[in-house]
Structures are given as C-alpha cells and as structure tokens.
Amino acid sequence: MNGLVIVLIGIVCLGAGYLLYGRWLANKWGLDPKAKTPAFTHEDGEDYVPSSKFTVFSHQFSSIAGAGPVTGPILASVFGWVPVLLWLIIGGLFFGAVQDFGALYASVKNEGKSMGMIIEKYIGKTGRKLFMLFCWLFTLLVIAAFTDMVAGTFNGVGLDSAETAYANSAAASISMLFIVVAVIFGVIQKHVGKMNEWVKAVVAIALLVAMFAVGMKLPIYASKTAWIYIIMAYLFLASVLPMWLLMQPRDYMTTFMLLGMIIGAVVGVVVAHPQMQLNAFNGFNVNGSGLFPTLFVTIACGAVSGFHSLVSSGTSSKTVSNEKDMPMVGYGAMIVESLLGVVALVVVGAVAVNGTKPDGTPFSIFSSGVAGFLEKMGVPVTVATVFMTMCVSALALTSLDSVARIGRMSFQELFSVDDMEHAEGWRKLLCNKYFATVITLVCGYILTQIGYSNIWPLFGSANQLLSALVLITLCVFL
C-alpha cells in the first residue's frame, strides 16, 4: 500500500476522534470554564504556575513524545504494518488519550495532586505507597534508558563515519544552546509579563533558527560517557528549578521543532509517496510461541503509556489556567503523538528490506528515513541529517527532564506525611527536593550501565502495567 494513504487514514481517524470522542468526554465529565484551577489557588512560582493553553500543551506534548512513538512502532513492525496501525489508532483514541485526559482532569479536580495522592484519597494509604514506589522505580528505568539513548546520539568520538560524528556533535551543541536560551527566554517572559502568543511563537521560532545555525558552526565533540555526566547535571537542574525558568520555555521551543519534524515528514511522504515495503501481517507466532501480547508492550507510548499520566497529574495539572484547556492538553497531545507513531511506521515501511525492517537502531532508521524525505524536498543533506539527529534526541531529552522532576516528586511523596513540619529529621531529609533528586539520579545512572537495549523490554512492560493501574484508579474516581 502507498504510505501516503496510511498517513491520511491516520490523520482522518485521529482528527475525527479528537473532535468527536474527545469533546464527548469533555461534555460528559463536565468541565467548568469558570472554576479556579490549582495553578491559581496554589500558585507558588515553582510548580504551580498559571500558563497559556499552548504553553501547557507544548510542555505536555514535549514531555510525553519521547522515544516510544518512534521506537515502539518500528520494533513492532516485525508483526506487519496492519496490526501496528490498528493499535496506534484504536489504542491512541480509546486508551492512551482517555488516560492522559482523565489523569489531567482528576488531578485538576483534586488540587493538582499526583495520581499517588489521588489513590490515597479514593482507595487508601497502602495503595498510595505501593503506587508511588512503583512510579519511582519506573522513573529510574526511563532515566536509564533515555539517558543512554541521548548520550549515544550525542557521541562524537570514536565513530567510523566523520559525517555521523559531525551530525551528532552539532546536535549536541544545539541541545546545550537550547538549555541556555530557554533560561534566558524564561527570564524575559517572567519580567515582561504575559506576551502575545503570536509574538512569543515568532520569537521562539527565530531562536530555533539561530541555535541551529550556531550549533552547526560550533559542534561539541565529546564521548558518550562524558555526555551521560552532562545530561545528569542538566536533569538535576530541571528537577529543582522553577517550571517557568527552564522546563516550560525549553518545551515551548522544542514543540515547534517537533511539530516541524512531523509536518516535514508528512509533506515528505506526500512528495515521495513511498510504497510500504513491509509485509501487511507476519503473524504473532515465533518459534512456536504466541507473542500477541508483545505487540502492545512493544508499541507502548504510541498508543498508551502510564508515564503520560505522571506528566498529566505531576506537572501539567499544576499549570493549566482554565479547565476548558484540558481537552487540547490531555487528549490532543496524545493524538499528535499517535500520529507521530503512524509517521514512524510509514518511514520504516518505506526503507524496509525483504518485508522486514532494516538493520540499525529505531532512531537511526527513523532519522535517516525522514532525512531522505527532506532531501527530496530540496533540503541539503547535511542540514537534514543534523535536524533529524537533533529532533530524535530532543524526543528523549524533553521526556528525561520531566521524568527526573516526577521521579524526585515520587520519592518525596513516598516518605511524606500530612504534618511535615513536625516530622522526624530523617523524613525531612528524604523529602528534601535536592536530596531526593540526587538519590533518583544516582540510581538512574547505575542502571545506565545495563544499556538501553536491555532496559527497553522492562520499561515497556512496566509502562503498560502503570497505565492499567491508572485507568483502574480513574474508574474509581469517576
């Protein structure tokens, strides 16, 4: 089948689902545009920060659109493109988006509390403790897997190809500029006050172009090990600094880049209209064993992800300014992520060999495939390669900073009590945000030594289990 047809099917189905089912859920649950959200009632300038609809959407989308929607569909393509496409659409519309929207709604209606605190209120303290422990352990897997992935993408030392080393190092340089510029952008917004959304968007896009130009001229060459340490230092800052200072402006700018990547890939499919070289269906039996459940675990984030609920209830719910913004933030961000999964499926289908995916990591397959589409549109090969290397690393890096913050908060909530003012000294230490961040990152660093390929299957299974727990909690809440 033509890849363009598959993309169009994805756009129509996902778009219709958002307009029809997403709005039906919003009406059924009863959103109140006049109600004061936790961002206002608990405003503290750090976690609770009232923000515009697109700012919250950009944080939600950048945080949840990690490695999953690219890695999952490409790995699952061994079963054939039909089952992958069906689960991306059905799972995204009726499971993933419902969970993300539901977690955001439940948190906003409960003073911005995390899923763990909501479980305590509706199920019990033991349930909360077990859930928070599971969440914290899960964040360690994400930190380990994504840190190893990003560090490998930034590695510019000891590679056989000079072109690859340059692309990796230029992408790394741009990423470091992102962090510095994000802080400056955040400070400017804080002191200027509420900026016009169009003006803010133009400024963000202009900064993106400038950072790409500078990063390509001044690449940073460093080893994978060095990048792991640098990433850990960045995660510490992202975990403890106020949302408005680093994460929100970084996610805001990153969203334009990721949306540009998706739009560029879709336009590239329109121009190239590649034929799917993947088999439509290869079956689920491998060496006599039925692996049907593995389809869902492998696709993971592209259809449904428990991690998304932690973002919805852990950070996004604390910045929503109006309840009417929640459908776009909760349901809409997941729809765009599912579309990214469909694009990744078409990309691997276009470059497949003998009915199966080619050799290489999912990120390298996706990056080279989309870069090939961009070349056909007249984009220079070097620019296309650096742009895609930057995009795939940003997919993981923007999830990393959110999960580091959520991991820190999960660790704190694991030991917190109602009366922290009179709590024991050891409990106050464990609930200190700096101490909790260090413990979380050290444990995550230890797990990076295992390697991304060994962690991903465990991450996928834990991710789906977490999603099931959240959906059960939402059923109790509703």
Side-chain angles (χ1 to χ4, degrees):
M1 181 179 283
N2 193 292
L4 177 58
V5 176
I6 295 177
V7 171
L8 291 177
I9 291 174
I11 292 174
V12 171
C13 292
L14 293 170
Y18 173 74
L19 294 174
L20 299 175
Y21 191 54
R23 288 183 177 178
W24 181 83
L25 285 176
N27 293 329
K28 187 72 174 177
W29 292 346
L31 304 184
D32 184 3
K34 297 180 181 179
K36 277 198 170 184
T37 62
F40 288 105
T41 57
H42 297 280
E43 185 175 0
D44 61 5
E46 291 197 10
D47 294 317
Y48 292 86
V49 182
S51 306
S52 68
K53 178 164 63 174
F54 188 77
T55 298
V56 185
F57 171 85
S58 65
H59 166 68
Q60 176 83 5
F61 174 67
S62 295
S63 298
I64 68 174
V70 170
T71 300
I74 291 178
L75 292 177
S77 65
V78 296
F79 298 119
W81 64 263
V82 170
V84 176
L85 178 64
L86 289 175
W87 182 237
L88 283 171
I89 294 175
I90 297 172
L93 286 174
F94 300 109
F95 291 88
V98 173
Q99 177 212 240
D100 296 6
F101 184 19
L104 180 64
Y105 172 77
S107 181
V108 170
K109 290 295 187 181
N110 283 276
E111 302 178 342
K113 292 180 179 178
S114 68
M115 288 306 302
M117 303 304 288
I118 294 173
I119 286 176
E120 178 179 359
K121 180 178 179 179
Y122 293 96
I123 299 178
K125 288 189 176 182
T126 302
R128 169 208 161 191
K129 292 290 185 183
L130 292 174
F131 183 82
M132 296 315 303
L133 176 61
F134 184 85
C135 283
W136 183 68
L137 294 174
F138 174 75
T139 60
L140 299 184
L141 293 176
V142 181
I143 290 172
F146 286 14
T147 297
D148 184 79
M149 184 188 307
V150 174
T153 305
F154 287 169
N155 179 31
V157 178
L159 300 179
D160 295 332
S161 171
E163 291 80 6
T164 302
Y166 168 76
N168 291 358
S169 301
S173 179
I174 297 168
S175 292
M176 295 302 102
L177 286 172
F178 254 83
I179 297 171
V180 176
V181 172
V183 173
I184 297 172
F185 193 34
V187 171
I188 292 174
Q189 290 185 79
K190 185 71 172 178
H191 288 85
V192 170
K194 188 175 181 179
M195 294 177 64
N196 179 279
E197 282 298 323
W198 288 105
V199 173
K200 188 161 68 169
V202 171
V203 171
I205 294 172
L207 290 173
L208 275 174
V209 174
M211 285 186 286
F212 269 99
V214 174
M216 291 185 67
K217 289 292 184 181
L218 302 171
I220 300 176
Y221 291 88
S223 66
K224 179 179 178 179
T225 302
W227 280 118
I228 289 178
Y229 291 129
I230 294 171
I231 292 168
M232 286 293 173
Y234 164 67
L235 294 183
F236 178 84
L237 296 176
S239 175
V240 301
L241 290 177
M243 286 285 293
W244 62 265
L245 183 58
L246 177 56
M247 286 184 63
Q248 276 194 341
R250 173 181 161 74
D251 289 345
Y252 186 84
M253 291 187 293
T254 301
T255 296
F256 285 103
M257 182 178 67
L258 297 181
L259 290 177
M261 176 193 71
I262 296 174
I263 293 171
V266 171
V267 174
V269 171
V270 173
V271 173
H273 50 270
Q275 292 294 322
M276 294 293 286
Q277 304 301 321
L278 284 171
N279 293 330
F281 182 55
N282 293 323
F284 297 109
N285 290 317
V286 178
N287 297 327
S289 299
L291 297 179
F292 176 66
T294 308
L295 172 72
F296 309 103
V297 173
T298 305
I299 293 177
C301 306
V304 57
S305 167
F307 166 64
H308 297 184
S309 68
L310 304 184
V311 177
S312 293
S313 65
T315 53
S316 296
S317 63
K318 298 175 176 61
T319 58
V320 171
S321 297
N322 194 306
E323 288 190 12
K324 66 182 175 66
D325 298 342
M326 290 195 289
M328 176 178 168
V329 174
Y331 203 94
M334 182 62 220
I335 292 302
V336 179
E337 178 166 356
S338 292
L339 177 59
L340 176 57
V342 173
V343 171
L345 176 63
V346 171
V347 169
V348 70
V351 297
V353 179
N354 297 324
T356 59
K357 73 178 186 68
D359 294 332
T361 65
F363 266 16
S364 65
I365 294 171
F366 181 74
S367 179
S368 60
V370 178
F373 290 161
L374 295 177
E375 285 179 56
K376 291 185 178 181
M377 295 165 56
V379 179
V381 59
T382 303
V383 175
T385 303
V386 172
F387 176 71
M388 285 309 304
T389 303
M390 179 61 218
C391 285
V392 296
S393 63
L395 284 170
L397 195 57
T398 50
S399 292
L400 261 176
D401 50 22
S402 291
V403 82
R405 195 178 190 93
I406 293 168
R408 180 263 291 177
M409 295 167 68
S410 298
F411 187 85
Q412 288 177 292
E413 291 183 10
L414 188 59
F415 297 98
S416 66
V417 292
D418 293 334
D419 187 13
M420 283 301 299
E421 186 177 346
H422 300 96
E424 303 92 330
W426 64 269
R427 193 179 295 276
K428 289 184 177 179
L429 174 64
L430 292 175
C431 290
N432 178 277
K433 70 177 181 179
Y434 300 103
F435 184 82
T437 298
V438 170
I439 292 296
T440 300
L441 294 181
V442 167
C443 292
Y445 169 76
I446 293 172
L447 287 177
T448 60
Q449 307 308 303
I450 299 175
Y452 162 76
S453 60
N454 295 318
I455 295 174
W456 184 261
L458 184 59
F459 160 76
S461 301
N463 198 18
Q464 300 304 287
L465 178 57
L466 179 60
S467 178
L469 294 173
V470 171
L471 287 170
I472 292 171
T473 301
L474 293 177
C475 288
V476 175
F477 164 72
L478 293 170

